[in-house]
Amino acid sequence: MTQAPSKQCDILIVGSGAAGMTLALSVAENAKVILISKSVLNEGSTYYAQGGIAAVFDENDSIEAHVNDTLKAGAGLCDKQTVEFTATSAKDSLEWLIRRGVSFDKMDNQSNKYHLTREGGHSHRRILHAADATGKEVQLTLAQKVRNHPNIEVAERCNAIDLITSRKLGRAGNRVLGAYIWNRDTEQVETVAAKFVTLATGGASNVYQYTSNPDIASGDGIAMAWRAGCEVANLEFNQFHPTCLYHEQARNFLLTEALRGEGAVLKRPDGSRFMPDFDEREELAPRDVVARAIDFEMKRLGADCVYLDISHKSPDFIKKHFPTIYERCLGLGLDITRDAIPVVPAAHYTCGGVVTNLQGETRVKGLYAIGEVAYTGLHGANRMASNSLLECLVFARATAQSILPQLEQVAIASDLPAWDESQVSDSDEEVVIAHNWHELRLFMWDYVGIVRSDKRLQRALRRVEMLQQEIHEYYANFRVSNNLLELRNLVQVAELIIRCAMQRKESRGLHYNIDYPDLADDAQPSRLKPD
């Protein structure tokens, strides 16, 4: 592997989902942008988001109601100022998307009113959607704009290895200066110098054995930010989506909450409903409540799964509103107009992350974090449905407004050191990475999953510390690979998740510890700072 030539830009954006592309398009008229995509541009969590984006478009709804619903779903740990900022900015952000060509479903062909659906935790219909493939519509529309913009360079199939900071180079202060980027096609490590760097890398749900996320969701941004000196918070709150398809040929296929919003019910294997036994909101209770109820019933009954049933609705209704799910299930031998769908909970969304302010700024100068990688205080102890893509849009646009006025005040560092691989060799033991990857995801699922205990967390910490030693030695001696970089980051994020969970001596939202089943009176966000 040879050293690639270095590159320079005004703004380096690591991540190509809704957050990264919204930022790129918001600054590109005034800045040279390099956008790093770990896979191809259309891959990532945004593309697979089914449900929609929350915003107040109905005259019977209100920003105050959106705020209150979000605060309630967050179980007392949301930052109210952040929630108000997000809900107030929601409609403008959706209209920005619409102006760029994103097409949301209307009530009918003659109407200018959008079809609004309702999901768990919402008191009103306020979810704009494109059938059941909203993320795909957003991703493909923005990707076309990004590819066609002359000021945006897209680097596909590239992994960010680490951030370059003045502190790491022994210089004064702690400002981000760029990043090392590994191009998987050329097998070269590029040094990219930038005035500003924004992490838009998504979450870390691949730290768990079962997840709805694509394979690239490996906590890269969280781990890189931590190594650069950023603070993280609330990483114990990993949302487990209640309804992931249980099928050996479709491990990661999510069944949108909008199914339950439109009347689908959860049933035991014998056909009886169980959500009325757990919560008065039944299937529309927040995700943590529904996921724990499913987990409880599966363990109580020794069942491999439970069932989600919308077959009581008309076939035309189902095919119109959920065409993606209908076709995918039909291809697996399930006709959802007649059959109940087997489902299990799966790790879905990282509610904590890199601590930022309302402009996306971290504690490292020049470094921003937006979208799922960031902790803004919006989600608290549980994310309300369809606030995730909204957060990407709102904070990407806020970050653009923060960066643009500073561009002329910052110089690009032209003397960054090249990537040094003079002391490493090619690995002859890739099987070690595969075994460590499997071990990590399995013990995180068993010990730091939907239900936890102090003993389980202590066991998980011991195992993760052992893995870290092995992986550090491996990283120091062998050339980088995709699996090695992802495993290194996942193990780091796993440690942070465990340490955040050990701080919380209560059960709240997505964090349930059987040793502390009650709510604490003075709960605060968990926070970790690097040494």
Side-chain angles (χ1 to χ4, degrees):
M1 184 161 56
T2 58
Q3 173 64 41
S6 61
K7 294 182 177 182
Q8 294 184 350
C9 61
D10 294 315
I11 304 168
L12 173 64
I13 303 171
V14 184
S16 58
M21 290 198 293
T22 297
L23 174 59
L25 292 170
S26 298
V27 298
E29 293 303 315
N30 304 100
K32 179 185 177 184
V33 177
I34 295 179
L35 181 73
I36 302 298
S37 180
K38 190 173 171 184
S39 183
V40 294
L41 191 57
N42 293 337
E43 181 68 8
S45 293
T46 294
Y47 182 87
Y48 296 100
Q50 296 174 356
I53 310 175
V56 175
F57 274 73
D58 186 348
E59 60 271 15
N60 296 317
D61 195 5
S62 67
I63 291 173
E64 182 182 13
H66 189 179
V67 168
N68 289 338
D69 290 345
T70 302
L71 292 173
K72 186 175 182 180
L77 278 188
C78 297
D79 180 272
K80 188 175 182 181
Q81 181 186 7
T82 302
V83 176
E84 290 173 342
F85 172 73
T86 305
T88 302
S89 306
K91 189 174 183 180
D92 283 347
S93 296
L94 268 291
E95 289 173 341
W96 181 90
L97 268 189
I98 292 165
R99 289 195 299 273
R100 271 140 196 87
V102 174
S103 179
F104 294 107
D105 287 3
K106 300 284 186 68
M107 291 294 291
D108 54 61
N109 292 334
Q110 285 74 42
S111 174
N112 287 323
K113 286 192 172 183
Y114 291 100
H115 179 271
L116 304 174
T117 191
R118 181 182 172 194
E119 297 181 348
H122 290 273
S123 59
H124 294 76
R125 286 181 172 265
R126 65 168 70 97
I127 315 300
L128 276 77
H129 63 100
D132 61 348
T134 306
K136 181 178 180 181
E137 169 70 14
V138 171
Q139 185 78 20
L140 295 182
T141 303
L142 295 184
Q144 183 181 28
K145 300 289 185 184
V146 163
R147 286 193 189 279
N148 292 334
H149 203 292
N151 285 349
I152 302 174
E153 176 186 343
V154 178
E156 293 180 294
R157 289 180 50 79
C158 290
N159 294 59
I161 300 174
D162 255 327
L163 298 167
I164 305 169
T165 64
S166 52
R167 189 184 69 176
K168 288 182 180 180
L169 299 180
R171 303 176 185 178
N174 193 24
R175 182 177 184 90
V176 70
L177 305 174
Y180 292 115
I181 307 295
W182 181 56
N183 186 312
R184 298 207 299 280
D185 292 328
T186 65
E187 295 195 342
Q188 293 180 323
V189 177
E190 301 168 351
T191 305
V192 181
K195 295 180 179 180
F196 296 91
V197 177
T198 298
L199 300 170
T201 54
S205 286
N206 268 295
V207 77
Y208 289 101
Q209 184 177 19
Y210 302 109
T211 174
S212 66
N213 285 196
D215 291 340
I216 59 175
S218 52
D220 303 328
I222 297 170
M224 286 190 292
W226 175 260
R227 292 193 292 264
C230 289
E231 184 180 6
V232 299
N234 272 18
L235 282 170
E236 72 272 30
F237 296 115
N238 201 104
Q239 188 176 78
F240 290 82
H241 196 287
T243 53
C244 205
L245 179 63
Y246 179 71
H247 195 284
E248 61 181 9
Q249 296 175 29
R251 284 184 58 248
N252 296 55
F253 189 64
L254 182 72
L255 295 163
T256 174
E257 193 159 347
L259 279 162
R260 285 176 283 134
E262 295 296 344
V265 294
L266 285 161
K267 295 181 177 180
R268 302 179 181 94
D270 67 2
S272 61
R273 289 181 65 191
F274 58 86
M275 279 310 302
D277 299 338
F278 289 88
D279 195 282
E280 62 184 11
R281 292 163 289 187
E282 301 176 346
E283 278 77 11
L284 289 178
R287 289 177 176 177
D288 60 313
V289 176
V290 180
R292 275 199 302 276
I294 295 172
D295 183 68
F296 179 87
E297 287 296 311
M298 286 172 57
K299 288 176 178 175
R300 183 178 71 85
L301 298 171
D304 292 329
C305 63
V306 295
Y307 293 86
L308 184 66
D309 192 356
I310 197 170
S311 63
H312 52 280
K313 291 283 190 177
S314 75
D316 288 344
F317 177 91
I318 294 170
K319 293 174 186 178
K320 177 183 177 181
H321 288 281
F322 306 106
T324 305
I325 294 171
Y326 173 76
E327 291 294 339
R328 183 64 189 277
C329 288
L330 199 62
L332 297 169
L334 288 167
D335 183 350
I336 67 172
T337 66
R338 297 183 302 177
D339 304 325
I341 312 164
V343 296
V344 292
H348 181 58
Y349 192 87
T350 306
C351 288
V354 181
V355 174
T356 74
N357 63 13
L358 292 180
Q359 287 72 49
E361 293 176 294
T362 72
R363 69 195 294 230
V364 175
K365 287 186 179 298
L367 180 63
Y368 291 73
I370 52 176
E372 191 176 354
V373 69
Y375 166 78
T376 63
L378 173 62
H379 305 306
N382 189 11
R383 175 180 73 89
M384 189 168 69
S386 291
N387 272 352
S388 54
L389 289 179
L390 175 62
E391 182 182 35
C392 292
L393 303 172
V394 168
F395 285 89
R397 298 176 75 219
T399 291
Q401 293 171 8
S402 174
I403 290 176
L404 286 173
Q406 302 180 62
L407 279 176
E408 298 304 317
Q409 303 166 22
V410 179
I412 296 176
S414 58
D415 57 345
L416 299 183
W419 179 255
D420 181 12
E421 58 174 27
S422 60
Q423 304 299 314
V424 299
S425 62
D426 289 322
S427 169
D428 60 356
E429 291 187 283
E430 284 289 323
V431 69
V432 174
I433 296 178
H435 286 180
N436 286 352
W437 182 287
H438 178 71
E439 180 184 351
L440 171 69
R441 299 179 77 194
L442 187 61
F443 74 64
M444 286 296 291
W445 182 263
D446 288 341
Y447 298 148
V448 201
I450 296 173
V451 177
R452 303 160 181 178
S453 70
D454 282 355
K455 184 178 288 186
R456 292 176 188 175
L457 294 175
Q458 290 161 3
R459 287 174 176 166
L461 185 60
R462 284 197 299 271
R463 282 163 173 76
V464 87
E465 287 173 341
M466 291 173 61
L467 278 182
Q468 283 178 315
Q469 293 175 5
E470 288 185 24
I471 293 162
H472 177 75
E473 179 181 346
Y474 199 96
Y475 181 78
N477 288 291
F478 297 111
R479 289 190 174 93
V480 297
S481 67
N482 183 67
N483 287 343
L484 175 57
L485 292 174
E486 290 186 335
L487 180 60
R488 178 183 180 230
N489 290 332
L490 277 174
V491 168
Q492 179 59 76
V493 174
E495 181 205 348
L496 298 176
I497 291 172
I498 296 164
R499 291 193 183 279
C500 283
M502 294 176 87
Q503 281 189 18
R504 189 159 298 285
K505 305 301 183 184
E506 63 165 350
S507 290
R508 181 181 297 270
L510 301 166
H511 172 79
Y512 189 84
N513 187 327
I514 58 176
D515 293 317
Y516 306 97
D518 300 320
L519 292 170
D521 294 332
D522 57 346
Q524 298 293 324
S526 62
R527 288 180 178 260
L528 297 173
K529 294 181 180 180
D531 295 333

